Amino acid sequence: SSYYGTFKLDVSEFTTASNFKCSAAQKVTFTSGKASIKGDSNGVNDEYATVKCSSLIMDGPQLYYEFNTRSDRYYDFTATASNSSTYMYIFKKTDCGSATSMSTDCSSAGSTGDYVSASSGGSGSIAFKSTTAGNFLVGVDSTLSTYYGDFSLTIKEFTPPKNDSCAAAKVITLVNGKATFTDYKTGATSQLAKCGSESLPATDLFYKFTPVTGKKYRITFKPVGTNGGRFGIWDGSHNCVPSAVETACGTIGSKYVTKGSSGYLDITATSGDIYMVADGIVSSLYDIYDYTFEIEQI
């Protein structure tokens, strides 16, 4: 009876999402190659308590989203969730209704589906490419019935980059001594196994520019996605032979930068082209990131 005092009470009225059933998945529409979705699994029921992605049983409440794929496109999925043990998984629409088939898809590591954690306010990303055009579903689920809540889901559709070899390096033109550009590594192949003495098992993208001999330049690199990355710089006298480039890479400079941070190298240009590579120390599809390069004469 001695416990009393002021308080605040908030009451929110909401409508339970209707796309908690596989057969009623919400259709995703892309605008300029991107779709951004907000969802909330509060109040919905678990449809399949036996869907299992690898060793993880998805027996929490879920929402489904349907999208059409093209065989010449890559798709990147990023989910950010407010509650723990939230997962995102991809499976074929034709397997909707069969927990066993859905489990096979999401456990296939990119063959017919995939999955990733997106829990505790963090985010998880999946890169996916279907071998044929078709319909797929992405589910935002959890591993316990008490784990539910709001989340965001972003899907990007894009063409794989072409500059994933030294010989196909993207030419960068400086305007008034400066150039800023962004790129995305998903869908690229790996040409370099190392940059000087640094191991680089990840996919890589290449760039080149022609500096003014004797001038100083600052090259800034910022990876903003899943992992950090390494960039290396070398001159263009190696004819893009991979073994020679692996040795030359970093002779002008090389630097590892953690995700969300910026790292730079200052160089003094000699004659000829300058080559750069954006690479990483983590292999496979988990080496996914957007990044920004800036070249500026100083």
Side-chain angles (χ1 to χ4, degrees):
S1 62
S2 61
Y3 290 169
Y4 54 85
T6 62
F7 62 88
K8 181 182 179 181
L9 174 65
D10 289 324
V11 180
S12 298
E13 181 182 55
F14 64 94
T15 302
T16 303
S18 61
N19 55 317
F20 65 93
K21 288 189 175 183
C22 184
S23 58
Q26 179 179 320
K27 300 291 179 63
V28 173
T29 300
F30 292 97
T31 302
S32 299
K34 183 177 180 180
S36 298
I37 301 160
K38 297 287 186 181
D40 193 333
S41 57
N42 189 17
V44 307
N45 297 318
D46 181 29
E47 184 174 28
Y48 303 111
T50 56
V51 171
K52 187 176 181 181
C53 298
S54 188
S55 61
L56 299 164
I57 300 175
M58 303 296 172
D59 59 354
Q62 75 293 303
L63 296 179
Y64 298 106
Y65 302 90
E66 179 184 342
F67 61 99
N68 297 321
T69 66
R70 293 176 51 172
S71 58
D72 61 341
R73 296 287 189 271
Y74 266 86
Y75 296 84
D76 172 62
F77 302 81
T78 299
T80 302
S82 61
N83 286 294
S84 59
S85 293
T86 299
Y87 288 83
M88 169 179 59
Y89 53 89
I90 301 168
F91 58 96
K92 294 182 296 184
K93 182 180 180 180
T94 52
D95 289 334
C96 176
S98 168
T100 300
S101 297
M102 290 165 61
S103 299
T104 299
D105 289 339
C106 70
S107 301
S108 68
S111 178
T112 55
D114 211 339
Y115 78 98
V116 72
S117 172
S119 59
S120 300
S123 63
S125 295
I126 299 174
F128 181 73
K129 182 180 186 297
S130 175
T131 55
T132 58
N135 291 67
F136 283 78
L137 271 66
V138 55
V140 181
D141 208 326
S142 70
T143 56
L144 283 175
S145 61
T146 54
Y147 290 158
Y148 53 83
D150 62 294
F151 59 85
S152 62
L153 174 64
T154 301
I155 307 175
K156 297 178 184 178
E157 179 186 55
F158 58 94
T159 303
K162 306 294 185 183
N163 56 316
D164 54 354
S165 70
C166 176
K170 183 185 293 185
V171 177
I172 305 301
T173 302
L174 277 62
V175 178
N176 296 323
K178 186 176 181 179
T180 301
F181 55 96
T182 60
D183 224 328
Y184 194 72
K185 286 172 76 258
T186 303
T189 60
S190 178
Q191 184 182 54
L192 302 185
K194 60 180 181 177
C195 181
S197 61
E198 300 292 339
S199 175
L200 294 180
T203 55
D204 37 41
L205 293 180
F206 295 82
Y207 308 87
K208 69 176 179 179
F209 71 99
T210 304
V212 178
T213 302
K215 296 295 184 179
K216 290 186 177 181
Y217 294 84
R218 173 164 292 180
I219 300 175
T220 303
F221 179 64
K222 182 179 180 180
V224 296
T226 304
N227 295 302
R230 177 173 291 279
F231 71 103
I233 311 169
W234 66 98
D235 63 51
S237 62
H238 303 282
N239 298 319
C240 282
V241 176
S243 58
V245 172
E246 288 179 348
T247 300
C249 181
T251 52
I252 294 180
S254 175
K255 194 177 186 70
Y256 177 78
V257 185
T258 58
K259 66 175 182 178
S261 300
S262 294
Y264 69 87
L265 291 171
D266 291 339
I267 68 171
T268 299
T270 56
S271 61
D273 293 330
I274 294 294
Y275 280 76
M276 307 186 304
V277 65
D279 212 311
I281 60 173
V282 181
S283 61
S284 82
L285 293 179
Y286 296 101
D287 179 47
I288 304 167
Y289 59 79
D290 301 77
Y291 58 85
T292 299
F293 262 123
E294 182 179 273
I295 307 171
E296 184 176 16
Q297 184 178 319
I298 56 177

